[in-house]
Amino acid sequence: MIPDVATIWTWLDQVPDPEIPVISVVDLGIVRDVAWHGDTLEVAVTPTYSGCPATSVIAMDIETALYDRGVRNVRIRTQIAPAWTTDWLSDTGRAKLLAYGIAPPSPAGGPEACPQCGGTALTRISQFGSTPCKAHWRCDTCLEPFDYFKCI
Amino acid sequence: MTDQEALFEYLLRLGDSTLILGHRISEWCGHAPVLEEDIALANTALDLIGQTQMWLGLAAEVEGAGRSADELAMLRDVWDFRNLLLVEQPNGDFGQTMMRQCLFDAFHIELLTALSQSDDNRIAGISAKALKEVTYHLDRSSETVIGLGDGTEESHRRMQAALDLLWPYVGEMVTPDAVDTAMHAAGIAPDLTALRARFDTRIDAILTDATLVKPDSTYAQTGGKTGFRHSEHLGHLLTQMQWLQRAYPGAAW
Ligand SMILES: [Zn+2]
């Protein structure tokens, strides 16, 4: 029996992002479409950053997860346009990031509050952090450094 | 030159420029003055290499000769590269690297802004994506050029020397040739002459804030994007960048 698309989405929602494993690839908003073409399942995935090394790992993780559920013919299609935006990060994803210690993206261009203590006196250390999607900030209240998931 | 050939040339210009600059910046990895700058340089290099995969991937598709993006990047020699001369120039000191970056970013952001309106949807899509990344690149490189230019006597002296050294490579970026004109006529690429005005406005504002003096000379080195004459530096860069694929053809991991 061929699993329906809604079921596939719930499976994909259990595939963790390789670099920030607390959120799923669905939370991240990079799975753009899931559709059956005959007996082949096509999953459209959009890269976060052009050179993000996680992109190929994500494709492999998705294929493996679906294979484990019995889906044998999977095609990953890379979809560049429209370009990924942090607006596609789900509300669940944002909450999980915050609980994990990463400040979620904010339209203001910087974090709203320190994910550790909630302090709002914050200093940007660098616009470029440990992965392409994050910037490096410091809380002036608790003095802890933290990652900010930057807007793009 | 057919339209298809001109498009292939144009895509090589885009992809080769991001590839060579990406490689140049990656040479800093583990050597930058502070950890944050090291990470920022590596991230910028990664963005540019990612953009290269898209541009050269499309170039390979347009060429239709069965070559892949990897083969275009790793198995062509100097005379087949179409990158701007600016990006192949050596890193010099950190200030010189950031000056080169800022000059390129200020051009790159204008080019991608225009290309994201291209009649060619594939080019528009790649450009819209790259533009988001390059916005961060220019933020950082312009802040650094301003900080160092308007910094100490020594940092100011070095940034002015870097500007004087690199300025002759600016003209090539913003002066149209036959390929640029053909692409503009086809609705694919912007009018470089109009783009130059926007580039000038942008770079003038940065240099003023940086208390640096733009050289008077309009002399421009050319020959990079046409492939007519690269500087001696490109060959040395390729011997490092392509070494693995040349020594172990087809190696993969
Ligand atoms: Zn705090």
Side-chain angles (χ1 to χ4, degrees):
Chain A
M1 199 188 81
I2 287 185
D4 62 21
V5 166
T7 308
I8 306 272
W9 276 100
T10 65
W11 293 345
L12 293 176
D13 198 23
Q14 291 163 38
V15 178
D17 173 81
E19 280 175 344
I20 312 170
V22 290
I23 58 171
S24 77
V25 294
V26 173
D27 285 329
L28 195 56
I30 57 171
V31 180
R32 303 313 300 160
D33 193 35
V34 177
W36 284 102
H37 297 274
D39 64 350
T40 300
L41 182 70
E42 187 179 85
V43 183
V45 178
T46 195
T48 51
Y49 282 72
S50 306
C52 184
T55 308
S56 56
V57 178
I58 288 169
M60 203 168 68
D61 288 349
I62 289 177
E63 282 183 82
T64 310
L66 294 172
Y67 192 88
D68 288 347
R69 303 279 192 163
V71 184
R72 289 295 179 264
N73 298 321
V74 178
R75 184 167 63 225
I76 307 285
R77 178 167 59 86
T78 304
Q79 181 178 318
I80 291 167
W84 179 75
T85 159
T86 33
D87 293 348
W88 293 345
L89 200 65
S90 70
D91 287 342
T92 328
R94 297 174 61 87
K96 286 180 192 165
L97 281 179
L98 191 59
Y100 189 58
I102 299 172
S106 151
E112 276 159 13
C114 164
Q116 308 297 340
C117 75
T120 52
L122 310 168
T123 304
R124 192 183 84 188
I125 307 294
S126 175
Q127 198 65 278
F128 295 83
S130 54
T131 64
C133 57
K134 286 177 281 179
H136 195 196
W137 284 69
R138 184 182 57 222
C139 171
D140 298 335
T141 309
C142 70
L143 302 180
E144 285 290 326
F146 65 92
D147 276 336
Y148 164 61
F149 204 103
K150 66 192 185 197
C151 278
I152 190 169
Chain B
M1 195 183 286
T2 65
D3 281 0
Q4 199 74 355
E5 284 164 351
L7 178 58
F8 177 64
E9 285 285 312
Y10 191 72
L11 291 166
L12 288 183
R13 291 175 179 195
L14 295 168
D16 287 348
S17 292
T18 50
L19 173 63
I20 299 303
L21 184 57
H23 183 83
R24 270 283 182 244
I25 307 172
S26 77
E27 292 171 0
W28 274 105
C29 194
H31 299 277
V34 291
L35 185 61
E36 286 77 7
E37 291 305 328
D38 205 287
I39 292 170
L41 285 160
N43 268 301
T44 307
L46 203 57
D47 286 341
L48 291 169
I49 302 293
Q51 294 167 19
T52 303
Q53 281 176 330
M54 297 192 285
W55 290 129
L56 293 186
L58 183 54
E61 195 183 311
V62 166
E63 187 191 32
R67 287 201 280 185
S68 67
D70 283 345
E71 286 165 343
L72 286 174
M74 296 302 164
L75 299 178
R76 283 177 302 150
D77 213 333
V78 173
W79 47 82
D80 287 327
F81 271 78
R82 296 291 182 266
N83 60 278
L84 296 161
L85 292 173
L86 176 70
V87 300
E88 70 195 41
Q89 298 312 305
N91 286 335
D93 60 20
F94 178 72
Q96 187 178 319
T97 290
M98 293 313 295
M99 179 59 77
R100 184 187 62 202
Q101 190 67 33
C102 185
L103 293 170
F104 180 75
D105 290 344
F107 162 73
H108 205 195
I109 200 166
E110 292 297 346
L111 181 67
L112 292 172
T113 302
L115 286 177
S116 57
Q117 306 298 321
S118 173
D119 286 352
D120 187 314
N121 287 335
R122 301 167 299 181
I123 290 180
I126 296 171
S127 300
K129 171 132 205 81
L131 180 58
K132 292 177 170 222
E133 296 158 2
V134 169
T135 303
Y136 280 108
H137 299 175
L138 179 63
D139 267 0
R140 169 170 170 276
S141 63
S142 60
E143 275 176 20
T144 311
V145 164
I146 292 167
L148 292 173
D150 188 19
T152 65
E153 204 175 306
E154 174 67 5
S155 74
H156 175 86
R157 184 187 65 74
R158 290 204 198 192
M159 293 313 279
Q160 185 64 54
L163 178 61
D164 294 345
L165 179 74
L166 296 171
W167 191 253
Y169 300 100
V170 166
E172 186 189 31
M173 295 196 288
V174 288
T175 309
D177 70 353
V179 170
D180 295 314
T181 307
M183 289 296 101
H184 176 52
I188 288 173
D191 171 14
L192 272 187
T193 312
L195 187 146
R196 169 162 217 162
R198 298 194 292 276
F199 167 82
D200 281 338
T201 308
R202 209 178 256 285
I203 210 71
D204 287 353
I206 295 169
L207 294 179
T208 303
D209 284 351
T211 70
L212 296 172
V213 182
K214 186 163 92 175
D216 260 340
S217 169
T218 54
Y219 174 71
Q221 294 278 3
T222 56
K225 67 183 181 183
T226 60
F228 177 69
R229 187 181 55 218
H230 281 282
S231 61
E232 71 272 29
H233 308 296
L234 182 61
H236 292 279
L237 182 152
L238 294 186
T239 58
Q240 287 210 339
M241 187 181 82
Q242 298 182 333
W243 179 82
L244 195 116
Q245 282 303 324
R246 299 287 191 180
Y248 304 95
W253 63 88

